[in-house]
Amino acid sequence: MIAQTIFLGMLGPWQIVLIVAVVVLLFGGRKIPELMKGLGSGIKEFKNATKEDDKLEGETKETKS
């Protein structure tokens, strides 16, 4: 949490505007929603995989006990 605060404290509003402008110039306005959709589905898949992994670990511990 502290690292996130430090990182965000280093980014000012002009830096954020510059980053957004570069992303729009590189990918264009039409491509950004597709990129965000892909990013969201990737995060969702990662969360599901970690939940399944935790579930399998719990089952393994129960069978060993």
Side-chain angles (χ1 to χ4, degrees), residues 41-61:
S41 64
I43 292 172
K44 190 176 190 180
E45 188 174 321
F46 178 76
K47 284 183 181 180
N48 289 339
T50 56
K51 286 180 185 177
E52 288 177 10
D53 189 39
D54 290 342
K55 187 177 178 182
L56 290 175
E57 282 183 13
E59 291 175 0
T60 306
K61 287 180 182 176

Side-chain angles (χ1 to χ4, degrees), residues 8-63:
L8 292 176
M10 292 168 44
L11 286 177
W14 290 111
Q15 287 87 2
I16 295 172
V17 168
L18 181 65
I19 291 169
V20 169
V22 168
V23 168
V24 169
L25 287 174
L26 287 176
F27 298 109
R30 294 182 183 170
K31 192 72 172 174
I32 293 174
E34 294 175 22
L35 292 171
M36 294 299 113
K37 184 178 178 183
L39 180 66
S41 64
I43 292 172
K44 190 176 190 180
E45 188 174 321
F46 178 76
K47 284 183 181 180
N48 289 339
T50 56
K51 286 180 185 177
E52 288 177 10
D53 189 39
D54 290 342
K55 187 177 178 182
L56 290 175
E57 282 183 13
E59 291 175 0
T60 306
K61 287 180 182 176
E62 289 176 3
T63 56

